[in-house]
Amino acid sequence: MTASTRIILLAHGSSDRRWCQTFEQLAAPTVESIDNAVVCYMELSEPSLDQVIASSVAEGFRDFRILPLFLAVGRHLRKDVPAMITDLEARHGVSIALLPPVGEDPKLGLAIRDVARGILESDQ
Amino acid sequence: MTASTRIILLAHGSSDRRWCQTFEQLAAPTVESIDNAVVCYMELSEPSLDQVIASSVAEGFRDFRILPLFLAVGRHLRKDVPAMITDLEARHGVSIALLPPVGEDPKLGLAIRDVARGILESDQ
């Protein structure tokens, strides 16, 4: 990781604007507190991963970490995104690391527990 | 919420066993710390929502809260799950409340920020 590393929060994308708004809210604490963090979409929504890589390269970034805003690994993260990364690295001469999806981090399970506890407390 | 209320963590389900294992891990802190909390799947995996409602009714539960392990509302949560709930309520004579997906709770965005911070720290 160097000063020119960009962290990309990658969501699936949807034609439903409300779906994207939820992801923008999910990404907001990260984007607001971490320099060089951005959110983008695999398909159907903008900015796309392709757009973010292109504009970041124009800004001088050469090193990227993709943190998928997915709960688990499915076909997209096993096949589609790695193929997109191979193509983007070749076209832009950059390095892109694909991290495990956020759902594999134990912090998410603890947050879900806290959400469930909040439901119990609000009912009492 | 009564002593006989069951909290159901509902994931989508997948034919990929590894996908379900991620959700079991995501649900573990909730299931281990909250009485009457269980995890099940909308389709493709077991236990299904239908199975969990049926076995819970046999245990004496009549009141359910479904907390979707989804990051945002899409077609499944807008149409498919409400239709399943209407059917299950009629068949079993129970009350089932569908909560917003975990991804709409601000705690998830904060957890994602902490995951991203952990990535930065592990690189230093």
Side-chain angles (χ1 to χ4, degrees):
Chain A
M1 180 83 73
T2 68
S4 65
T5 298
R6 171 149 274 179
I7 291 188
I8 296 174
L9 302 183
L10 180 70
H12 182 279
S14 168
S15 56
D16 182 347
R17 180 69 199 133
R18 291 169 293 180
W19 193 95
C20 293
Q21 284 171 341
T22 300
F23 279 85
E24 286 164 16
Q25 288 164 10
L26 273 171
T30 306
V31 172
E32 288 164 7
S33 69
I34 296 180
D35 285 344
N36 298 334
V38 294
V39 60
C40 68
Y41 302 93
M42 205 191 90
E43 61 187 23
L44 300 172
S45 303
E46 294 194 342
S48 67
L49 177 59
D50 195 86
Q51 289 170 330
V52 161
I53 295 289
S55 63
S56 300
V57 167
E59 287 179 62
F61 291 98
R62 293 290 178 272
D63 189 37
F64 300 89
R65 305 282 167 105
I66 295 181
L67 177 59
L69 298 187
F70 288 65
L71 288 177
V73 172
R75 181 178 51 81
H76 288 315
L77 293 181
R78 195 160 6 251
K79 294 190 174 176
D80 302 338
V81 176
M84 293 169 78
I85 287 174
T86 299
D87 172 63
L88 287 163
E89 286 184 322
R91 279 198 284 130
H92 293 288
V94 296
S95 172
I96 305 173
L98 179 61
L99 301 166
V102 291
E104 289 191 3
D105 191 293
K107 294 180 188 73
L108 271 283
L110 297 176
I112 289 167
R113 178 200 62 194
D114 292 343
V115 173
R117 282 183 177 163
I119 294 162
L120 292 171
E121 287 164 10
S122 68
D123 277 325
Q124 285 173 350
Chain B
M1 180 83 74
T2 68
S4 66
T5 297
R6 172 150 272 179
I7 290 188
I8 296 174
L9 302 182
L10 180 69
H12 182 280
S14 169
S15 55
D16 182 346
R17 180 69 198 132
R18 290 169 293 180
W19 193 93
C20 293
Q21 283 171 342
T22 300
F23 279 86
E24 286 165 16
Q25 287 164 11
L26 272 171
T30 305
V31 171
E32 289 164 6
S33 68
I34 297 180
D35 285 344
N36 298 334
V38 294
V39 62
C40 68
Y41 302 94
M42 206 192 87
E43 61 186 25
L44 299 172
S45 304
E46 296 193 341
S48 67
L49 177 60
D50 194 88
Q51 289 171 331
V52 161
I53 295 289
S55 63
S56 300
V57 167
E59 287 179 62
F61 292 98
R62 293 289 178 272
D63 189 35
F64 299 88
R65 305 282 168 102
I66 295 181
L67 177 59
L69 298 187
F70 288 65
L71 288 177
V73 172
R75 182 178 50 83
H76 289 315
L77 294 182
R78 195 158 9 248
K79 294 190 174 176
D80 301 339
V81 175
M84 294 169 77
I85 287 174
T86 300
D87 172 64
L88 287 163
E89 287 184 321
R91 279 199 286 131
H92 293 289
V94 297
S95 172
I96 305 173
L98 180 60
L99 302 166
V102 290
E104 288 192 5
D105 191 293
K107 295 180 187 73
L108 271 284
L110 296 175
I112 290 168
R113 178 201 62 193
D114 292 344
V115 173
R117 282 183 177 162
I119 293 162
L120 291 171
E121 287 165 10
S122 68
D123 277 325
Q124 284 174 348

